[in-house]
Amino acid sequence: NGITLEDKVQVRETPEKLSKDYFENEKVISVGAGFNSSLVLTENGNLFVWGKFQGIGLAAKGRQNHEDAIYPRKVEFLESCDVNISSIHCGHFYFLARDKSAGELWMWGMVPDNVSTEALKAKVGISNALDDSSKSIFKLLDTGVDRTVHNPFKVPIKLQKTDEIFAGYDRFYIKRSNGQVSRMDWSLIEVPITSQGPYPKFKSIHVGWKHMLLLAYE
């Protein structure tokens, strides 16, 4: 009803249960939290998102203009792409949705100011996904330009089923099945960060705001 998130801000000291109605009565199997938006994956492979406009874009059902989503809304775009989402990952202002069966990774959200939107369009074939309207409530460096990719696009990499994804602040990390670890950001260039093989056995990977830790077996 036109109420923004700012009007609904509350400090809650205890968790509040969300009704299953928000998720079409489907069982929630995974949740992800970004800077000020959240993403949910259900057992049927459906995605629901809510929060501030930044990062959400117009992927959510019923979104108009640049309004926030106070309650969870279904991401309908991927339903027409014949994908089977199996896991989700949230960065600061972006979301990742993975289709393990096809080895595909989908991404959408806010494009950082150090990335050319024209270069991004050319790399992934985005046509109208970037809205340059000056009416956006989100502005980078007071330029008045909306730099949000509203609908998910396919990241130009191929993943094996055993590869792992770890989302960070403005980039995400990929742990390949052979042990190699690489990073990727909105430039969509995969950059190895571990030395040439043979690679160590990593026991665990932990991603912070702008750093990561690799715990390896000796």
Side-chain angles (χ1 to χ4, degrees):
N1 296 324
I3 301 175
T4 65
L5 281 183
E6 284 80 359
D7 299 322
K8 300 290 289 184
V9 169
Q10 299 178 34
V11 177
R12 294 174 179 165
E13 297 181 355
T14 56
E16 177 181 340
K17 185 177 180 180
L18 289 175
S19 169
K20 285 186 177 181
D21 293 340
Y22 288 130
F23 312 111
E24 299 183 354
N25 291 311
E26 297 177 12
K27 182 180 179 181
V28 172
I29 62 172
S30 183
V31 298
F35 177 69
N36 52 17
S37 50
S38 302
L39 184 66
V40 154
L41 172 66
T42 67
E43 61 183 347
N44 293 335
N46 290 315
L47 300 180
F48 296 83
V49 65
W50 72 100
K52 290 286 287 182
F53 170 76
Q54 300 98 312
I56 295 179
L58 300 179
K61 179 180 180 181
R63 295 294 308 289
Q64 295 180 356
N65 300 321
H66 299 89
E67 64 180 357
D68 301 325
I70 300 174
Y71 302 110
R73 299 193 183 185
K74 192 174 186 179
V75 178
E76 294 186 307
F77 180 83
L78 290 174
E79 290 186 315
S80 61
C81 299
D82 191 27
V83 297
N84 181 24
I85 301 302
S86 56
S87 63
I88 53 176
H89 311 272
C90 295
H92 195 64
F93 280 130
Y94 69 91
F95 291 129
L96 299 171
R98 182 176 179 183
D99 182 349
K100 273 192 176 181
S101 60
E104 295 174 346
L105 188 66
W106 296 77
M107 182 178 185
W108 77 98
M110 185 203 74
V111 183
D113 59 342
N114 62 344
V115 175
S116 165
T117 55
E118 292 303 318
L120 181 62
K121 289 179 185 181
K123 196 170 185 67
V124 298
I126 297 175
S127 55
N128 297 319
L130 289 169
D131 178 10
D132 293 330
S133 169
S134 61
K135 297 179 181 179
S136 173
I137 63 169
F138 181 68
K139 300 178 180 180
L140 278 178
L141 304 179
D142 295 323
T143 60
V145 176
D146 172 18
R147 296 172 60 88
T148 297
V149 178
H150 297 293
N151 287 318
F153 65 88
K154 193 183 302 183
V155 179
I157 58 173
K158 197 69 174 178
L159 298 171
Q160 302 299 319
K161 288 186 177 181
T162 53
D163 293 343
E164 298 179 73
I165 298 292
F166 303 87
Y169 171 77
D170 56 0
R171 65 194 64 185
F172 60 93
Y173 299 88
I174 306 165
K175 180 178 176 291
R176 297 290 186 177
S177 55
N178 63 358
Q180 180 182 3
V181 178
S182 58
R183 71 172 184 268
M184 180 176 280
D185 56 23
W186 281 91
S187 65
L188 303 182
I189 300 175
E190 186 175 355
V191 180
I193 63 173
T194 50
S195 58
Q196 298 295 319
Y199 304 102
K201 270 189 175 180
F202 291 111
K203 181 178 182 181
S204 60
I205 294 178
H206 306 272
V207 178
W209 189 45
K210 285 196 173 183
H211 74 285
M212 71 179 301
L213 298 174
L214 302 173
L215 178 61
Y217 292 105
E218 292 184 352

